[in-house]
Amino acid sequence: MGMTRRGILKGLAAAPFVSAAGALLTPTVAEAATIDAGQFALTSRSGNSYGEFADLTAGLAAKLPTVDAAAVIAATNRNATHLGSAPGTVEAFSTGFTWDGGDQAVEYWIPQGVTTSADAFGDGLYPSGGSKKVVLVSWYFETDPDGDGVDEYAVDKGIRLTFVDYTTASTPTYRHVLLVEPVRTGSGEYSFNPIRKHVGGIMWYGDLLYVVDTYKGLRVFDLNTLLTVATGVDVCGLHTDGNYYGYGYQYVLPQSHAYDNAGKYLRYTTIGLDRAGTPDSLVISEYSTSGTVSYTDGAFSGTGVATTTPKVVRWNLDYTDRLPASLTASEAVTVAQQKIQGVVSRGSKHYLSVSAGPSAKGALRTFSSGASSATTVCDLGIGCEDLSYHSSAAAGWAYSESVIWNVSEYAGKRYVYAVHADGS
């Protein structure tokens, strides 16, 4: 993709760090190791410069109809195609689907993140006590899809989320919604803006959706509160005609909370949920082009560099409110692996999706905390991205063995699929 926004976010290898005195700081040796988790921390944030997220959303809800995710899932308007066999280079295939012709070919919307209702609730069904089997996929808008340095599209529409009803796997259906941040206009009216981020990974936990913000931390969205907006005008937020729009989408999902990075620098490339231990936990991993993570290509939140070796960092979760149980990480490990695009963990065992560009197959790899390197489980598709672990213990949506979901990004090769977690 060249130096597109994705290239800027993911394509810059780190230069050696130089101290204020000019001395070269040697990067940490690229070997897997357990490191001090206490150096990684988050800070909770309930609003932005316009006010509290809750107050801003309440102001919008006084003007717009609200719906929950279950209503959106019941109102899917596009048809996906079930995959009866492994697509492309994928091995250990279990199940999957591909998009309709428009979404398979569209050049400016690019899929990145994947999570399922098997993350949201232990039985795999949504909503709690419900019966739907659901896959969520995130996409970011690319203004320069051919990577020539000239924007083919003047307006960056931010990020969208796709609700896929996979209850009947043979005939999946879906709908896109726009993710937005609630704000006020210059005159004080309630409105919302697009979120112009890379959205490299997502995690569904209860009724909350966690989205990675590469340089800053985590954004949280409450799936109980989406807003129904007008369609027909290609703008976002409160328009001069007095109506609210979401770039043509019928629903927008406003941000409800944030967790900003407050410890050592961490590149929030991807996120995964771990339901294997007690308590549940989330893990974050980092992309690098060559095994050395760059912290020089953006305005990172935090206090400096712990190590430039790619890391997997864990935070414990509280299942009662679906929020972090502690703002300090509970585990941090390094791994000598370049081009990590997705991560999920099962206790001390970690799975990584590793990409190899627009024409070569990806790989599902695994390593254990403290091990020296990762090993390959199976081949993935070209352009492999985020991961989501789907345990065979999810009684309401169970496969014969545990699977791992993946999404691939390149136009014409876009698949959402699950592979057997053991590579069989």
Side-chain angles (χ1 to χ4, degrees), residues 83-299:
L83 293 171
S85 59
T89 59
V90 175
E91 296 180 325
F93 175 78
S94 174
T95 189
F97 61 91
T98 188
W99 309 104
D100 71 14
D103 286 323
Q104 180 65 256
V106 65
E107 61 179 0
Y108 45 80
W109 282 115
I110 301 174
Q112 293 288 289
V114 65
T115 185
T116 79
S117 50
D119 281 338
F121 293 105
D123 66 359
L125 301 178
Y126 191 83
S128 179
S131 60
K132 292 291 188 178
K133 303 171 183 178
V134 185
V135 179
L136 299 184
V137 173
S138 62
W139 310 59
Y140 77 93
F141 194 92
E142 177 57 75
T143 56
D144 179 22
D146 64 4
D148 64 356
V150 178
D151 286 339
E152 283 75 39
Y153 301 93
V155 177
D156 180 349
K157 297 182 180 181
I159 53 181
R160 71 181 185 184
L161 181 70
T162 306
F163 290 85
V164 184
D165 185 346
Y166 206 62
T167 310
T168 304
S170 60
T171 56
T173 59
Y174 64 98
R175 178 183 279 273
H176 303 306
V177 308
L178 191 72
L179 271 61
V180 298
E181 182 169 353
V183 299
R184 285 181 181 266
T185 66
S187 60
E189 296 284 347
Y190 293 104
S191 188
F192 47 81
N193 289 336
I195 299 173
R196 296 181 169 118
K197 300 293 179 180
H198 185 69
V199 70
I202 56 176
M203 183 192 82
W204 192 359
Y205 191 49
D207 289 309
L208 298 181
L209 177 73
Y210 286 76
V211 173
V212 291
D213 186 331
T214 308
Y215 307 119
K216 195 171 183 65
L218 303 172
R219 293 174 183 250
V220 183
F221 299 79
D222 185 348
L223 294 177
N224 287 309
T225 306
L226 293 92
L227 304 168
T228 306
V229 296
T231 58
V233 180
D234 195 24
V235 296
C236 183
L238 180 60
H239 191 42
T240 53
D241 65 4
N243 292 316
Y244 290 86
Y245 297 94
Y247 291 130
Y249 297 111
Q250 186 174 348
Y251 303 106
V252 300
L253 175 58
Q255 183 175 341
S256 60
H257 204 82
Y259 289 94
D260 298 333
N261 192 64
K264 293 293 188 180
Y265 286 164
L266 188 64
R267 192 176 190 93
Y268 288 79
T269 298
T270 189
I271 186 171
L273 176 67
D274 185 353
R275 283 185 168 274
T278 302
D280 296 338
S281 57
L282 67 83
V283 289
I284 299 294
S285 194
E286 301 179 292
Y287 180 90
S288 65
T289 55
S290 60
T292 301
V293 181
S294 172
Y295 301 105
T296 62
D297 64 321

